[in-house]
Each structure stands twice: as structure tokens, then as C-alpha cells.
Amino acid sequence: MNGEITGKSSREQAFDGRYMFVFVTLIPVLFWLLIAIFPADKRESIELAVPIAAMVLSIWAGSFIKAGSRELSQRAQLFLIVLTTLGVAFQSAISGKGKFPYLWNGFGVKLIVSALLATALLTTRYPYQILTAIRDRSLLEKFLSAVGLFIFAFVYLPAFIQPSWGIINIGDATHQVLEEISGPIVGNFPGVNAVSTYTTILGVPLTLLRLFNLGNQTQMSLVLVWVNLLVLAAPVFMVLTFRLISKSKNWFWSTMIVVPILMVSGSWSAASSNTESLSMIPGRTLLPIVLGFFLVRAVRLDDWKGNMRAAAFLGILGVIVAMNNIEFGVPALGAMVVVSLILALQLQGAVRFVCYLVTGAAAGFLLYVGYSLSIDGPYDLDFRIGSYAGKPYSPAELFPILSLHNVLLALFGSAIASGIIRLRNINLGNKTDGLVAAVCALYFGIWGFASFPYCSYRCVDGLYMSTQVYLIPSIMCGAALCVLQLPKLEVLRNESLWERMSHTPYFFFASFALVSVLQAPNPMDEWNRVLNRAGNEQWASDPLRGPADQWNIEEIDWIRPIEISDLARKVNSNDIGYFGYMGNSVELATGLNNLTRINSGEVLLIKGTNRLNELACVGVDETRPKFVVVYGIEFICEGYSPFDQVTSSVPGLGVYIRNG
């Protein structure tokens, strides 16, 4: 799998391996001590502080501790390696105790034991002899890779696809993302003239559809085609990034490293995986993944230190990523900046790269301001931060002290420390062995840490599936660590048992990719959903999983657009608009002008403030239509009263008339 020679001595590898032990034990101990010392009302602050402290520690350790300064005895090294692997395995096996056992609640004992058995197998000589024999037979390797990719496509591809009749779970944040992505088509640009939560940029290319006179269903179908392409882009860019850092030309191995862990699921198949909610993929994570790819690709160029275009492009892209999503985009921009500063400190001649990047970021900010002003005149920042400024969502359950989260944080910390150590050891001439893997480790490690505040109040026992989003940076950190620490295939084949055992922690992470197929989404369930066979109550292997949701002109979640159109026709007025649930979607389906400037009534219900209410009503206040059809959201806009002359038999569907 690893085609890159690290050039590291066993002494240096053993030193780097200690970071995993330090982080996987220090983080829960520090968390426990702080909780014992400080009062209970400080717990959320502690949950925020510990990951940031671990990130600072990892940067400091990688920058200032001399590698190999204290060599351990062979017995001590073996003890440390075994202890580290077991510590990682123990916390990875802890499952969440959520209210929804059919969702993903961790890897569990079965998968961890399988990974340990696979790790033990990798310490022997046989896997490398077999892989070498296959690689030496080019036709056989191509055949097996093609078969493997075909199996992957059959098992995993349908879990990434959501047709109009088979939305995985529209009731979660997916409906908000669909609203935000479809908004620009009807003139509602999230973050500019409409409240946004998950994405402001991803739907902008769809404004091109306004140039064509397309039917309602055609527009909605094209929106979903675009959404599915965005979802598929996430694993594609992760695979491409791995191919850059490993120099691997084999698509099967590159896909194997990424997809199985990314798509672990519970008994509800895709409805309990990372694609369950469009808020995770593509909303929060796609653009940070893309930014990581282009950062790694930029430093892979021979002239990267003086490449003004590549650095400026990264700066512009970084601002776009940050503006698209605050929770994960701003940490991604920060991670890129910190990585560039570390490069400038560790490598001669990299200061120019940082200057070009900062210049590009300034240009990107000006471009975004210009984009915002061109749409709606004076820019109201509240549209961008409104949903974050509301009352925070904080479940009653507590963040667990011992859990998988510590393993993820340990991966981030180890990747950062190992990445900086590699930069320190790079020959300052033209040799850049391991540079791209080091940059990958640094970027995804810092991004994982910096975005962890989201997890601090969501990754609790009752919502353990929220942890899934952090599998994305963890996959890339684990892959970068394996590239940095594991030698070439031929070397592994000829090493002694002891030398191979020194790689055990990294074998364990590599084994995860192999055994995570045990938690793959049920492919038959997902193919049934994609092929429009999920409309009845008993279509899935788990009888509790209900019919698939819809997003088309006939049905949008629980809304039937025809009922809204019929009520609007009864009013018999052109001076009419819509205020309610799925407003942009309803306009696409019915043509009725959407006046709702918020992506979900749920936002008002959970996070409602006076300012959010005002923002939601901006469309009504600006246009002041005579009639407003209201459905699914409490009509909070002033100056209107119920219009009792026209009524509907549908509960919650009604008409309001302007006073006076």
C-alpha cells in the first residue's frame, strides 16, 4: 500500500510512536482531572479547552523535542507499543449508549477484535510476500483491482446517491441544506439575504439555471444531480489526496483506505452513516477536504515555494471555504494558515509562499464582499451568523471521558507532531521526501482539533453518531501517519519480526480500513431506495426504518405542493407569496414566490431569538404582498391577520391578509 520510502531509522520511528501513547492516555486523564477540580458548570469550557491544549502541545512537541533523544530498550519499546495499541483498541471499542441503537454508536468490540487479528497478521511476513507476488504480475493485479473496485461500487455507491424519490433522511438537517443549495435559483442567497446554517456557496453555481426556461421538476432534478455530485466529490477528493501523499497508482488500495471507514453505519444502513445528513457531506466537510487536496497538491510542485498562482489560489479558496461554513470552514482556513506558517519556520524559502497565500486570502475576502454587495446591496452579517447567534443546541447527556473521541484526538496530535518532525528532518536542498505526507498530516490534524468545539457539545452518549464527521480528518491523519512511518513493501517483507512489530500501532490503523467493511451500509437496502423500491413500510432489512423521503413536485417531505397551489388559486390574486417550511423547494415546485428567509422552522423553534424572527420576515417586510400562504411555520411577521374567507382542510395550511 505504501509506495514511499520514509528513510527513517527504527530509533526515530519508535520516538514518533510514543506520541500516540502520550495523547491517547493524557487526554482522558487531563479531562478527568479538570472535571474533578472545576465546578460542573465549567464542563463545556473544559471540553473546549482540552482539545486546543492538545493541539498546542502537539505543535510544541513536534517543533522542539529532539527526535530519538532518549532511546528506549528493546523490552521497553515492545511494552510501549503493545500498551499503545491496546489503549487505542480499548477506547475505540467503547460504544455510545444513545437513545437510537439503530444508528451508528461506535465501532464496537467485534470490529476492534477483527482489527487486532488483522494487525497480528500484518506483523508476519506472509501478507507482504503475497502482495509482492501479485504486484509482480501486472495483469493479475489489474484484474484483482478491477474486481475490487466493482465490489466497492456495488456495496457503497448507492449509499452516496439520493434521487428525488429516495432521500435518505430529509427530516434531519438535509432539508436545510437542500433549502440552502436551491435558494440561489429563486433569488435567496444563504448568508447574504437569507439565514444560513450549513452552506452559503455550494448552491451558487445553480444560478445558471435561471438563464433557461426549465420546468419545475427539471429544475428540482438538476438540483439533486448537483447535490449528488457534491456528495460523491468528498470521497473522491480524499482518495485523490491519499494518492498524492502515497504515490500509489492503484485505485483499489486508495479507495480501500478511505471509503470503508468513511461509510461505517448502524443497522439503518445509509440512514446511519456519514451520508445520512447532507449537513455532514457536503455541507460541513466537502470544501475543507478540497482545500486540503489543493494544499497538498501545491507543495508537491517542484517550484511550490515561489509559485505565486498556486499560493494565491489557496488563499482565495481558503476564504471561500471559511465563508461557506463557520463551524468547519473557519477552522480549515486557520489550519491552512498555521500549516503555511510552520512551513515558513521549518523550510528555507517558504516565506514567499506564505506572503502569496495571505495576499490571495485578502483578495478572496474582497471578492466575497463584492459578491454579497452585488446581490443585496448593504451586507447584513446577521444572515451569515444568525443561526449561530441563537440559543445553542446542547443535549442533556455528558461528553464521555473514555471514548473513541480520545483516539481521534490522539490521531490528530500524533499526525501534527510527526508531520513537523518530518519537516525538520527534510534535507534543505532539493530533496522533499515525505513533504506532502507531512503537510497532509498537519492540515487535517489541525483542522480536526480546531473544529472540535462542535463535537464538545454534540458528541455525547445520546448523539454518538455526531462523532462520525470526525472520521474524515481521522482517515487522512491515519493515512498520512502510515505513509510517514511505514517503510516500503519490499522493506517490510525482509524485516525481522521485531522490526515489523515496531510498526504495530500503524498496522492497527491500516487494519481498520480492511475490517470496517463489517459495518458497511446494507447494499440491498440502498439499491432498493435508489431504484424507487422504498415506498412501503417494510422495504428495509430493519423493520423500524420507514419509507424513503421525497423531494419533487408531488411531495416534499410531508408537504404536498399541489395543496399549496390549490389554496393559492382560491385566493385568486397575483399579489401573493409563501411563508413556511421548505420555502425555496416549494417555489421550485409551484412557482409561488418564497418569502421565507430562513432555512427551517426548526431553527426558529430551537434557536429562536427576536433577531432571527426579524430575519425570517425580511422577505415579507420588503415586498409586503397582500396575501401570504403559510404552512408548517408559525407566521411571526407583523402587519397581517388570518384570511378566513379562504381555508384549507390541510392542518396548518392557511392564508394571511395584509392589514389595512
Side-chain angles (χ1 to χ4, degrees):
M1 289 185 290
N2 182 10
E4 184 178 77
I5 300 176
T6 63
K8 300 186 70 174
S9 65
S10 59
R11 180 182 181 185
E12 201 173 327
Q13 288 175 351
F15 177 81
D16 284 354
R18 298 173 206 178
Y19 284 116
M20 183 61 64
F21 172 77
V22 169
F23 284 114
V24 85
T25 54
L26 176 64
I27 289 172
V29 169
L30 180 61
F31 190 36
W32 175 77
L33 284 174
L34 291 175
I35 289 175
I37 294 171
F38 291 95
D41 61 352
K42 301 295 183 182
R43 180 158 182 145
E44 281 197 9
S45 299
I46 293 170
E47 293 169 2
L48 293 172
V50 170
I52 300 302
M55 179 177 69
V56 173
L57 175 62
S58 63
I59 294 174
W60 174 83
S63 300
F64 297 107
I65 295 180
K66 185 178 180 181
S69 57
R70 293 185 179 180
E71 186 175 5
L72 299 177
S73 67
Q74 190 177 73
R75 182 174 296 179
Q77 287 185 42
L78 178 61
F79 176 76
L80 181 66
I81 288 166
V82 172
L83 198 61
T84 300
T85 306
L86 292 178
V88 170
F90 169 73
Q91 295 198 64
S92 299
I94 298 174
S95 296
K97 301 176 180 64
K99 307 171 188 175
F100 313 107
Y102 45 81
L103 300 181
W104 188 78
N105 280 291
F107 292 107
V109 175
K110 177 182 176 182
L111 190 143
I112 299 305
V113 170
S114 301
L116 287 172
L117 292 175
T119 300
L121 181 62
L122 289 174
T123 60
T124 69
R125 184 168 287 144
Y126 304 112
Y128 313 108
Q129 291 176 340
I130 295 171
L131 290 172
T132 302
I134 293 174
R135 193 184 61 181
D136 291 342
R137 294 164 175 80
S138 177
L139 289 177
L140 178 60
E141 182 184 26
K142 291 179 180 178
F143 172 75
L144 292 177
S145 296
V147 171
L149 287 172
F150 176 80
I151 294 173
F152 263 101
F154 174 78
V155 173
Y156 288 103
L157 182 60
F160 288 99
I161 298 174
Q162 302 195 51
S164 63
W165 55 79
I167 304 297
I168 294 174
N169 183 10
I170 201 170
D172 199 351
T174 288
H175 73 277
Q176 297 182 47
V177 177
L178 287 172
E179 281 293 282
E180 292 171 354
I181 290 180
S182 60
I185 304 176
V186 298
N188 292 332
F189 291 80
V192 180
N193 62 0
V195 174
S196 69
T197 304
Y198 300 107
T199 171
T200 65
I201 302 295
L202 297 182
V204 172
L206 293 177
T207 54
L208 295 174
L209 297 182
R210 299 168 70 176
L211 301 175
F212 306 95
N213 186 23
L214 301 175
N216 294 0
Q217 183 57 60
T218 301
Q219 288 189 89
M220 297 186 77
S221 297
L222 289 174
V223 170
L224 282 181
V225 168
W226 175 243
V227 167
N228 283 300
L229 289 175
L230 293 174
V231 172
L232 287 168
V236 168
F237 274 98
M238 292 175 70
V239 169
L240 291 174
T241 304
F242 177 74
R243 285 169 63 84
L244 285 177
I245 68 174
S246 69
K247 300 179 183 177
S248 171
K249 302 302 179 185
N250 190 301
W251 284 101
F252 171 73
W253 286 118
S254 301
T255 305
M256 170 67 84
I257 291 295
V258 171
V259 174
I261 301 177
L262 176 68
M263 293 302 293
V264 293
S265 69
S267 62
W268 274 21
S269 300
S272 53
S273 73
N274 254 322
T275 53
E276 177 267 343
S277 174
L278 293 178
S279 65
M280 291 190 282
I281 300 175
R284 290 186 173 104
T285 59
L286 172 60
L287 291 187
I289 292 169
V290 173
L291 181 62
F293 167 78
F294 280 106
L295 176 62
V296 171
R297 186 174 180 270
V299 299
R300 195 167 183 261
L301 301 174
D302 292 335
D303 62 339
W304 70 271
K305 294 177 183 178
N307 194 320
M308 181 179 68
R309 286 186 297 179
F313 170 76
L314 281 172
I316 295 172
L317 179 60
V319 171
I320 292 173
V321 172
M323 293 297 102
N324 181 68
N325 181 276
I326 291 177
E327 290 174 309
F328 285 75
V330 172
L333 173 61
M336 181 187 67
V337 172
V338 173
V339 170
S340 65
L341 292 175
I342 292 173
L343 289 172
L345 291 172
Q346 298 293 342
L347 302 178
Q348 292 181 357
V351 174
R352 286 182 298 167
F353 183 82
V354 178
C355 294
Y356 295 146
L357 187 145
V358 172
T359 302
F365 177 75
L366 293 176
L367 287 171
Y368 186 80
V369 171
Y371 151 77
S372 301
L373 295 177
S374 67
I375 291 170
D376 207 43
Y379 179 54
D380 191 340
L381 184 62
D382 284 350
F383 279 121
R384 186 65 198 87
I385 65 173
S387 63
Y388 297 102
K391 294 176 288 187
Y393 173 70
S394 186
E397 297 92 340
L398 296 176
F399 187 94
I401 295 178
L402 286 176
S403 68
L404 173 65
H405 311 107
N406 298 326
V407 177
L408 304 183
L409 292 173
L411 263 174
F412 301 154
S414 300
I416 292 170
S418 293
I420 296 176
I421 287 175
R422 173 47 61 93
L423 293 180
R424 290 166 57 189
N425 292 329
I426 286 177
N427 189 310
L428 297 182
N430 294 323
K431 185 178 178 182
T432 58
D433 179 36
L435 173 62
V436 289
V439 170
C440 178
L442 282 168
Y443 171 79
F444 284 100
I446 295 172
W447 177 47
F449 270 131
S451 61
F452 214 76
Y454 164 81
C455 194
S456 68
Y457 65 91
R458 289 293 297 270
C459 299
V460 296
D461 278 345
L463 284 171
Y464 207 75
M465 61 279 191
S466 296
T467 310
Q468 283 173 288
V469 71
Y470 291 96
L471 294 178
I472 293 172
S474 300
I475 290 168
M476 302 314 299
C477 286
L481 276 171
C482 289
V483 170
L484 287 170
Q485 301 298 332
L486 293 177
K488 202 173 180 179
L489 186 61
E490 290 84 350
V491 177
L492 283 169
R493 184 184 61 185
N494 295 318
E495 281 184 335
S496 65
L497 176 62
W498 159 246
E499 289 172 326
R500 283 194 297 273
M501 287 186 66
S502 67
H503 309 310
T504 299
Y506 310 108
F507 287 158
F508 182 74
F509 292 122
S511 298
F512 251 91
L514 299 174
V515 302
S516 290
V517 295
L518 297 174
Q519 292 186 6
N522 186 314
M524 300 311 299
D525 282 356
E526 300 316 311
W527 279 116
N528 284 334
R529 177 181 56 79
V530 170
L531 297 175
N532 201 10
R533 300 170 183 167
N536 56 65
E537 293 290 338
Q538 301 297 324
W539 70 276
S541 56
D542 190 319
L544 294 178
R545 187 178 178 185
D549 297 318
Q550 298 191 44
W551 193 79
N552 49 58
I553 61 173
E554 295 180 357
E555 189 173 339
I556 301 172
D557 197 0
W558 44 265
I559 290 177
R560 293 183 61 81
I562 188 65
E563 295 172 341
I564 298 173
S565 298
D566 288 345
L567 184 63
R569 279 193 291 270
K570 289 180 182 178
V571 176
N572 194 27
S573 173
N574 292 327
D575 192 11
I576 188 171
Y578 175 78
F579 185 93
Y581 180 60
M582 301 294 285
N584 296 327
S585 305
V586 167
E587 181 169 348
L588 287 178
T590 66
L592 192 62
N593 183 28
N594 174 37
L595 305 171
T596 324
R597 295 298 176 87
I598 197 161
N599 57 13
S600 172
E602 181 181 297
V603 174
L604 289 177
L605 182 64
I606 296 177
K607 301 184 177 183
T609 62
N610 290 336
R611 183 54 181 153
L612 272 177
N613 292 344
E614 292 172 1
L615 294 172
C617 290
V618 165
V620 176
D621 296 338
E622 288 180 348
T623 59
R624 300 299 294 174
K626 185 175 181 180
F627 298 99
V628 179
V629 177
V630 178
Y631 194 22
I633 297 180
E634 180 185 357
F635 192 56
I636 53 178
C637 307
E638 297 179 353
Y640 286 82
S641 303
F643 184 57
D644 297 330
Q645 297 180 29
V646 176
T647 59
S648 171
S649 60
V650 179
L653 178 60
V655 179
Y656 282 70
I657 186 172
R658 186 178 63 224
N659 296 334

